[in-house]
Every structure is written in C-alpha cells, then in structure tokens.
Amino acid sequence: MSDSTKRPRRRGAALEEAILRAAADELAESGYAGFTMDRVAARAGTNKNALYRRWPNRLALGVAAYRLLTATVQPPDTGDLREDALEMLRRANRHWSSPLGMILRELMAAAGGASELLTRLPDQSTDTTAATWLTMLGRAVARGEAAPEALHPRVATVAMVLLRNEFVVRGVPSAPDDVLVEIVDEVFLPLVRGRGAAGS
C-alpha cells in the first residue's frame, strides 16, 4: 500500500480518459489493422476487462478513439457559397487522403453495415455533416445567394456523400480537384438553386 512505485488506482472518468488517450495513440501509430485491446490495455496501464466494461469490442473502442483524434470542423466563411463548398470538399479530401483518413476508411470497412457505429464517427455522422453545411447554406441565404428552401439536410449533405463515394465505393486514394469542382458546379449548386425555383 505504501509502495510509491505503484501507479495510483484510477476509476471512473479518469480511467476512461486514460484508456481513450492510449487508444487514440495506438490508433494513430498502428492504424486500425494493428489496433488491439491488449495493446491499448498495456499502454493505459490497466487490464482488458476495464476496456470491455466500457466498449464491447475493438471496433467500438476504435471509433471512440478516432473521435478523440479529430476535431470539430468549423465551416469556412469566404463570403461565397461556391468557394465555401469547394473549401469544405478540399479539406475533407485532404483528411481522407491522410494517414488519419486511412484509419477512418479502415474503421468504415470494419463497421460494414453497423450504421449505429458509423454515426459515431464525426466525419460520417449525417447530423454533424448536415449541421456544418447548413451553417454555410444559412450564410448564403443571408447574403441572398440561396433561397431559404435550400436549407434542407439532403441538400446540405449531398456534396460530402458524393465525395465519400469516391473513397468508399471507387477506392481512390485521393479525389482529383476537378472531381470536387464537378460535384460543386454540376450537382450541389444546381440543387441549391433549384430549391429556390418557383414551385419547387
């Protein structure tokens, strides 16, 4: 008990934070392929039971760790909807092409049809994506660039869904910039403008 070399016993939030930090470090270093409950437990200085009491499997823990690694994206505000949309897609493209993006793609592949897990990924949550793009669209409405009818979650998320499709379905390592321009100019902006047309 008086052994000063012994690590103090952590409980509750302190232990959970230590596990998540260890899991995030493991994920960043090894990717999802090398991510194991054993390694996370050893790194956190705890046992696997402590992990399984909080997360049912390594995928759930991997998703939680990924959330810790990624910050909430603030939408750009260039004063022009087209430029804002392109900047958002370019940021997402850079992220999904990065080592962290590779981890995201591994997690998505591992999750398969587990949609409840995918929605916990900040990049994949429809609510998170829609909120960011609705903020941009709201600014465009205020500037007179778009009609209030454009403030719709499906309109807001379509550009990101199409970009994600390039990575997930087509398996590209990075989307060329002309693809991003095409998504914005030929799909997103016409859809936004169409929502404001008479009778839409």
Side-chain angles (χ1 to χ4, degrees):
M1 204 139 161
S2 62
D3 185 359
S4 59
T5 62
K6 229 175 192 176
R7 187 183 299 210
R9 188 172 175 120
R10 297 156 302 173
R11 297 180 184 278
L15 179 57
E16 187 163 320
E17 187 181 333
I19 294 169
L20 267 179
R21 185 75 263 161
D25 291 345
E26 274 297 318
L27 198 58
E29 282 180 20
S30 310
Y32 185 67
F35 182 81
T36 69
M37 298 298 251
D38 284 322
R39 288 175 63 156
V40 172
R43 190 169 197 138
T46 189
N47 58 55
K48 280 196 298 183
N49 289 342
L51 276 62
Y52 283 114
R53 277 196 295 272
R54 291 160 177 83
W55 297 276
N57 51 51
R58 81 180 184 111
L59 178 57
L61 179 56
V63 167
Y66 179 83
R67 285 173 59 93
L68 189 63
L69 288 171
T70 54
T72 304
V73 176
Q74 293 302 314
D77 189 6
T78 66
D80 179 77
L81 180 58
R82 181 179 186 272
E83 290 307 311
D84 286 349
L86 280 171
E87 176 59 20
M88 280 295 288
L89 290 186
R90 285 170 178 148
R91 286 182 190 177
N93 193 38
R94 284 193 299 271
H95 174 68
W96 291 344
S97 303
S98 72
L100 200 53
M102 176 58 78
I103 291 169
L104 171 63
R105 296 199 299 279
E106 288 175 337
L107 287 168
M108 288 169 62
S115 57
E116 75 285 352
L117 276 174
L118 288 177
T119 59
R120 292 183 206 159
L121 291 167
D123 319 65
Q124 302 308 305
S125 165
T126 304
D127 291 343
T128 304
T129 301
T132 304
W133 282 75
L134 284 169
T135 299
M136 286 189 342
L137 278 172
R139 291 174 184 156
V141 169
R143 291 191 300 263
E145 279 188 275
E149 291 84 0
L151 292 170
H152 189 283
R154 290 195 205 289
V155 174
T157 56
V158 69
M160 290 297 273
V161 168
L162 289 172
L163 177 58
R164 185 171 59 212
N165 188 64
E166 295 292 311
F167 285 88
V168 177
V169 178
R170 301 186 61 192
V172 299
S174 181
D177 200 65
D178 61 336
V179 169
L180 310 187
V181 171
E182 185 178 284
I183 288 171
V184 170
D185 289 347
E186 297 188 24
V187 181
F188 179 67
L189 291 177
L191 186 57
V192 168
R193 292 173 188 136
R195 295 287 293 189
S200 65

